[in-house]
Amino acid sequence: DSGVTQTPKHLITATGQRVTLRCSPRSGDLSVYWYQQSLDQGLQFLIQYYNGEERAKGNILERFSAQQFPDLHSELNLSSLELGDSALYFCASSVLFGTIYFGEGSWLTVV
Amino acid sequence: ILNVEQSPQSLHVQEGDSTNFTCSFPSSNFYALHWYRWETAKSPEALFVMTLNGDEKKKGRISATLNTKEGYSYLYIKGSQPEDSATYLCAFQGRDDKIIFGKGTRLHILP
């Protein structure tokens, strides 16, 4: 158990819908990262937050947004969902410049 | 665009044999190089984090080396065992704290 909690574990939704994925980092970790793992792709970096502020941005679509709250949990919002958004979404946390620890991931299926 | 390349993509190794694989990364803006082990149906688990040129790390039968000047790292597994079957990911961490993963080397140990 890495100490990073992600919910929900599995989610099936229809095209055009909006979903929110939630992540609670390890105790004491201020950095939260979001990654997308889809078929035949590596872990694609989406976005990073540090202590409530956006720190780095990767290949995150405009339809996606994220935030980190004062209690340090983070949410990834995915809207106007398309079939191609079906993927495993990982959250990871760390202290600044430290090893990152992954949650178990949220499986999103868009039908 | 930051590229982290891993080779080979896939590798089959006889049980008991030793093996190694490569991670190539940009030599500029370097802060750290991470190695992770990712078993099917689990989340990636940290093996090593290396920051200094010439660093060598070891954990049991697994070791890693780092060359930041030429931008590569090797992961070695000595005396492969069935439990070593997994995908091995490397990740480049820049001075901006962004962590970018390679696509991984999928290792299969043959009994």
Side-chain angles (χ1 to χ4, degrees):
Chain A
D1 181 9
S2 66
V4 179
T5 305
Q6 286 188 248
T7 57
K9 285 192 168 33
H10 299 273
L11 190 54
I12 301 174
T13 191
T15 53
Q17 295 298 304
R18 172 190 166 94
V19 299
T20 297
L21 309 181
R22 195 179 192 276
C23 171
S24 293
R26 289 188 330 151
S27 176
D29 286 356
L30 299 180
S31 269
V32 169
Y33 300 78
W34 286 98
Y35 289 89
Q36 180 193 55
Q37 167 79 34
S38 43
L39 212 61
D40 292 334
Q41 296 292 318
L43 282 168
Q44 298 291 311
F45 171 67
L46 296 178
I47 198 162
Q48 180 201 359
Y49 281 84
Y50 177 77
N51 202 20
E53 300 287 327
E54 183 183 304
R55 183 169 172 84
K57 211 166 187 173
N59 302 324
I60 188 165
L61 298 172
E62 281 190 19
R63 300 183 284 109
F64 296 0
S65 64
Q67 59 184 129
Q68 186 180 27
F69 294 86
D71 67 352
L72 301 177
H73 92 271
S74 177
E75 292 181 358
L76 179 67
N77 300 298
L78 315 174
S79 61
S80 303
L81 284 166
E82 301 174 1
L83 296 177
D85 298 327
S86 295
L88 177 58
Y89 291 86
F90 277 114
C91 167
S93 76
S94 75
V95 298
L96 196 60
F97 290 105
T99 299
I100 64 173
Y101 295 89
F102 284 84
E104 293 184 349
S106 292
W107 277 103
L108 173 66
T109 303
V110 182
V111 296
Chain B
I1 294 176
L2 200 158
N3 250 350
V4 179
E5 302 283 345
Q6 289 189 247
S7 63
Q9 265 189 318
S10 180
L11 191 54
H12 290 77
V13 173
Q14 206 65 44
E15 183 178 347
D17 287 353
S18 296
T19 188
N20 65 86
F21 23 93
T22 309
C23 173
S24 303
F25 53 87
S27 49
S28 61
N29 193 39
F30 176 86
Y31 177 77
L33 193 284
H34 300 237
W35 281 99
Y36 287 79
R37 184 168 177 275
W38 191 6
E39 289 182 76
T40 305
K42 295 187 178 179
S43 47
E45 190 182 317
L47 287 172
F48 306 115
V49 181
M50 296 180 286
T51 56
L52 298 176
N53 185 41
D55 253 357
E56 290 188 27
K57 298 266 180 160
K58 189 174 179 185
K59 188 188 269 192
R61 294 178 292 99
I62 304 178
S63 60
T65 61
L66 178 67
N67 182 322
T68 59
K69 292 184 178 175
E70 295 181 44
Y72 65 84
S73 174
Y74 293 128
L75 189 81
Y76 300 90
I77 302 179
K78 192 176 172 183
S80 303
Q81 299 297 308
E83 60 266 28
D84 296 330
S85 293
T87 296
Y88 291 83
L89 299 170
C90 74
F92 170 91
Q93 185 173 25
R95 291 196 200 111
D96 55 2
D97 200 26
K98 195 188 292 189
I99 298 182
I100 304 298
F101 282 81
K103 290 191 177 181
T105 292
R106 189 169 291 183
L107 177 65
H108 305 267
I109 306 301
L110 306 170

